[in-house]
Amino acid sequence: MLQRGERYGNGMKVVLQNLTKKFPSRDRKKRDEVIAVDNFNFEIPDGKLIGLLGPSGCGKSTTLNLISGLVKPTAGRIFFGEDDVTGLPPENRGIGLVFQNYALYPHLTVRQNILFPLQNLKGKDKLSKEEMMKKAAEAAKLVQIDELMERKPRELSGGQQQRVAIARAMVKMPKVLLLDEPLSNLDARLRLQTREEIRRIQQETKITTVFVTHDQEEAMSISDMIVVMKEGAVQQIGQPQEVYDSPVNLFVAKFLGTPPINIFKGKIGGGRLYIGDEAVLAVGGVPDRNVYVGVRPEGFMLNENGPFGCQLNRVEVMGRDISVVSMHKECLNEVVRAIIGTETKADIGIDSAVKGGIVRFSLIPHKVFLFERETEKRIDAEVCSL
Ligand code: ADP
Ligand code: MG
């Protein structure tokens, strides 16, 4: 059996220092270049799982490939522990890689696929046949495919194939595990199951892991910390809940959470926050100005005397939650979506909160964020109920 936290990736922090990657423009006539990764600074703590998160094209894969050595940085340095690995080729970095497409050798069995990286070891790293078999068996057991060792990849489900790919990445006992959208090819149920599996493996082995995804829920659910990227630049780094509860800008606020945060045009005037003509909250410590107001779906409470009125559209029951869908002329989302917890399911109070087609809410202050209109940065303001 594997010794907990002993055999894999012991104490391997990964330091990214001013890491930058520029690609020449694909259009030869143009001189503009793509800054895929822009001055990335982060010390990935050893033994943690980091979710690298952002929309397609924001530089996630490039960042991962810089860490793996598949891509050379334009500027900046990478350290594994205290060692500067910036100039090292991928095969000398002690990494395990898993990609979206499992990339198994179709003509080899599961066992042969897992053995493959070991058979290429040379010199002092060379292993005896017996040692190789033992390591392959351990890796297979870790990802729970030890029953499937004699099968060919085509005889496996997508989830099983991805486990084989993980076992193959783990068999050399890498110091760092790098996963690039490893669940994107799986159907919804397998995706959920396999992500739990990756979390378990990571916690058992304590291997420092970077997990790339564009799926915020996926990143939030398995990461110790998330890094949110946009256009090559890091926007925010923190524990998932921390980032959700305290986004630094409008982009991060909008990127995290399902259903998404509701954004309104609003203004601060005389210590009050207005959306349209209605003063919805009290605000301290900031001068009058126009703002964007973000309200998390769980930030609304039905209240017949509430300060904020929206035009009721419909009430949806979604599993455990009840969703009140409405409209407001200052809302930038298509609809205003309020999630009302179901402790009050029998009577969520919708009837008394609606008059003449207008549903009234009060807003929960810590679920409301204010952003500057120009920079879209979060405004540090004291917000409280009126
Ligand atoms: P993500 O993985 O977040 O979708 P990528 O890291 O693949 O994003 O890409 C970031 C940016 O760099 C994109 O604009 C992409 O088009 C560009 N890019 C990536 N690889 C290359 C390359 N080899 N040559 C030119 N541009 C590239
Ligand atoms: Mg990518």
Side-chain angles (χ1 to χ4, degrees), residues 313-374:
N313 222 332
R314 60 186 184 273
V315 177
E316 291 174 0
V317 180
M318 309 184 308
R320 279 179 297 113
D321 296 320
I322 291 177
S323 173
V324 175
V325 182
S326 61
M327 314 275 268
H328 192 283
K329 67 177 175 26
E330 299 299 337
C331 187
L332 301 181
N333 309 46
E334 212 172 303
V335 292
V336 180
R337 204 173 264 281
I339 303 287
I340 311 295
T342 44
E343 275 130 278
T344 52
K345 189 167 189 171
D347 172 21
I348 60 166
I350 187 80
D351 293 337
S352 52
V354 178
K355 286 203 180 70
I358 303 292
V359 56
R360 300 212 70 81
F361 298 106
S362 46
L363 302 180
I364 302 169
H366 72 272
K367 292 288 179 183
V368 177
F369 311 124
L370 305 179
F371 304 95
E372 283 179 13
R373 283 275 181 94
E374 298 73 28

Side-chain angles (χ1 to χ4, degrees), residues 25-43:
S25 171
R26 286 204 176 120
D27 184 347
R28 279 214 227 134
K29 286 182 216 132
K30 290 189 191 158
R31 314 271 314 267
D32 59 325
E33 40 185 17
V34 178
I35 306 179
V37 178
D38 191 3
N39 200 27
F40 198 141
N41 284 288
F42 184 34
E43 181 171 324

Side-chain angles (χ1 to χ4, degrees), residues 56-57 59-62 100 180-181 212:
S56 176
K60 305 180 296 294
S61 294
T62 305
Q100 175 176 344
D180 194 348
E181 312 244 7
V212 162

Side-chain angles (χ1 to χ4, degrees), residues 110-163:
V110 167
R111 186 190 309 280
Q112 289 164 333
N113 265 287
I114 300 174
L115 280 171
F116 195 83
L118 299 179
Q119 286 161 337
N120 285 338
L121 295 174
K122 304 217 168 61
K124 65 171 175 41
D125 296 328
K126 205 168 158 52
L127 299 174
S128 71
K129 179 124 199 262
E130 214 169 69
E131 287 168 315
M132 283 195 264
M133 290 305 224
K134 185 159 168 275
K135 281 183 186 268
E138 275 177 4
K141 203 169 167 60
L142 181 69
V143 303
Q144 297 178 344
I145 46 157
D146 38 336
E147 314 269 283
L148 309 171
M149 292 295 259
E150 306 315 322
R151 292 208 199 167
K152 295 273 175 66
R154 65 168 184 279
E155 297 166 321
L156 303 175
S157 72
Q160 289 168 333
Q161 289 188 45
Q162 198 54 307
R163 287 177 198 216

